[in-house]
């Protein structure tokens, strides 16, 4: 049986990600090494090109402004903001995540303020940041709505929100995981959790309507979808086919649901 997600605790989430830093299990290099970051960058940019990342995150728009990444991973996104002149802050639920961010910034000669903290209780004053981003993190938080409300609190009026969640109406969820649930006997919720590793206590999917409701305290909410793998549609023999084959469908049935919005003035 699939576990009741409302019972998942912050401690469980922290314990999993401390043992399983972002993508570390799939990279054959020591976490924190230059080779590790280079391999991670290549993986990330295969999903989101540099050009797409610049459009999504608007890096150049925040020169001299304050940017917070909630769940900063190993510092990839924040390093781009910092390189473009932003004053950057990152929080992560794990000491290992913070150490990786600090190491990346050390290699790049960048400055950043990194803290171990909980997305549900951000250690910042009201109306502090010009931009808050959180990419593939809030769907792991025990109380996602509380984390969104905290982001709203620390954003300045007119501030930019940039987030990514897993997409309920994706091919991965609606087709691949339904089939694999039938084949393996695992609940679909378990398969969603295990996308980030066996033992992950929580991963949640959202439809556009569900996410829009959660972002109701923001204005100018705009969404788009991306990241479709051939294996989400062709379950056998996908490795023999190029991912670009189904890319025209990515904006409809991709796994990543992106949203951008503003805090009202």
């Amino acid at each position: 049986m699939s576990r009741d997600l409302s019972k998942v605790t912050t401690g469980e989430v922290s314990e999993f990600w401390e043992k399983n830093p972002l993508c570390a299990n799939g990279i054959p290099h020591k976490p924190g090494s230059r080779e590790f970051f280079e391999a991670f960058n290549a993986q990330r940019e295969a999903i989101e090109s540099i050009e797409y990342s610049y459009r999504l995150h608007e890096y150049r728009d925040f020169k001299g402004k304050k940017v917070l990444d909630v769940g900063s991973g190993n510092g990839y996104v924040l390093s781009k903001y910092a390189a473009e002149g932003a004053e950057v802050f990152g929080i992560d639920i794990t000491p290992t995540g913070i150490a990786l961010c600090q190491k990346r910034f050390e290699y790049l000669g960048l400055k950043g303020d990194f803290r171990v903290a909980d997305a549900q209780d951000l250690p910042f004053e009201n109306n502090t940041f010009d931009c808050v981003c959180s990419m593939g993190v809030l769907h792991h938080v025990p109380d996602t709505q509380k984390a969104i409300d905290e982001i709203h609190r620390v954003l300045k009026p007119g501030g930019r929100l940039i987030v990514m969640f897993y997409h309920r109406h994706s091919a991965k969820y609606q087709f691949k995981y339904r089939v694999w649930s039938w084949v393996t006997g695992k609940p679909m919720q378990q398969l969603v959790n295990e996308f980030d590793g066996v033992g992950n206590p929580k991963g949640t999917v959202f439809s556009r309507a569900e996410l829009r409701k959660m972002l109701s305290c923001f204005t100018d909410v705009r969404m788009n979808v991306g990241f479709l793998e051939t294996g989400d549609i062709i379950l056998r023999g996908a490795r023999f086919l190029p991912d670009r084959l189904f890319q025209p469908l990515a904006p409809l049935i991709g796994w990543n649901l992106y949203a951008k919005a503003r805090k009202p003035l």
Side-chain angles (χ1 to χ4, degrees), residues 27-39 100 103 107:
I27 295 176
H29 302 289
K30 181 180 178 181
S33 66
R34 290 183 184 273
E35 294 80 7
F36 171 82
F37 290 120
E38 289 170 358
L100 287 171
K103 195 65 177 178
Y107 284 139

Side-chain angles (χ1 to χ4, degrees), residues 228-250:
L228 178 66
E229 297 179 291
T230 300
D232 294 340
I233 297 175
I234 306 297
L235 303 186
R236 294 291 186 184
R239 67 183 183 275
F240 300 114
L241 298 171
D243 278 341
R244 67 177 180 274
L245 185 65
F246 295 105
Q247 284 314 297
L249 298 176

Side-chain angles (χ1 to χ4, degrees), residues 30-258:
K30 181 180 178 181
S33 66
R34 290 183 184 273
E35 294 80 7
F36 171 82
F37 290 120
E38 289 170 358
F40 177 88
N41 294 353
Q43 284 190 9
R44 178 68 177 254
E45 290 157 17
I47 297 171
E48 296 174 358
S49 69
I50 288 289
E51 294 77 17
Y52 179 80
S53 186
Y54 264 77
R55 291 196 305 273
L56 173 66
H57 288 283
E58 305 167 6
Y59 296 124
R60 296 188 178 101
D61 292 349
F62 295 97
K63 182 177 181 179
K65 299 180 179 180
K66 290 185 176 181
V67 175
L68 170 66
D69 191 353
V70 176
S72 48
N74 60 50
Y76 176 87
V77 169
L78 273 188
S79 71
K80 299 289 190 289
Y81 280 111
E84 295 294 344
E87 182 182 355
V88 303
F89 298 75
I91 69 110
D92 196 272
I93 197 67
T94 70
T96 293
I98 293 302
L100 287 171
C101 288
Q102 292 170 331
K103 195 65 177 178
R104 179 189 283 275
F105 271 56
E106 178 185 325
Y107 284 139
L108 296 174
L110 298 171
K111 293 182 179 179
D113 183 326
F114 297 101
R115 311 180 190 187
V116 176
D118 184 351
Q120 302 162 116
D121 186 20
L122 295 174
F124 304 104
E125 298 294 326
N126 296 351
N127 308 322
T128 297
F129 296 100
D130 300 284
C131 175
V132 178
C133 62
S134 186
M135 311 309 293
V137 172
L138 300 181
H139 46 226
H140 299 302
V141 174
D143 190 338
T144 299
Q145 186 64 64
K146 186 175 182 181
I148 290 172
D149 293 344
E150 274 291 275
I151 289 173
H152 183 272
R153 179 183 66 79
V154 302
L155 262 177
K156 294 178 181 178
R160 178 56 113 184
L161 171 75
I162 305 171
V163 290
M164 185 276 280
F165 291 82
Y166 294 152
H167 186 206
R168 180 179 298 279
H169 297 307
S170 61
K172 190 185 297 293
Y173 186 76
Q174 295 293 346
F175 178 63
K176 180 179 181 177
Y177 285 170
R178 286 187 189 280
V179 173
W180 281 114
S181 179
W182 179 76
V183 170
T184 65
K186 293 181 179 181
M188 286 178 66
Q189 181 58 59
Q190 183 177 347
L191 295 173
V192 173
N193 292 351
E194 291 181 355
F195 177 78
D196 290 287
V198 175
N200 177 31
K202 183 184 180 185
T204 313
V205 293
F206 293 90
S207 67
R208 290 174 184 256
E210 289 166 336
L211 183 53
R212 188 173 295 276
K213 183 177 180 180
M214 297 190 77
L215 299 178
S216 61
C217 56
F218 292 89
T219 61
D220 192 27
V221 177
R222 302 184 183 189
M223 300 185 195
N224 67 284
V225 171
F227 183 40
L228 178 66
E229 297 179 291
T230 300
D232 294 340
I233 297 175
I234 306 297
L235 303 186
R236 294 291 186 184
R239 67 183 183 275
F240 300 114
L241 298 171
D243 278 341
R244 67 177 180 274
L245 185 65
F246 295 105
Q247 284 314 297
L249 298 176
L252 297 173
I253 54 174
W255 180 232
N256 292 352
L257 174 59
Y258 302 93

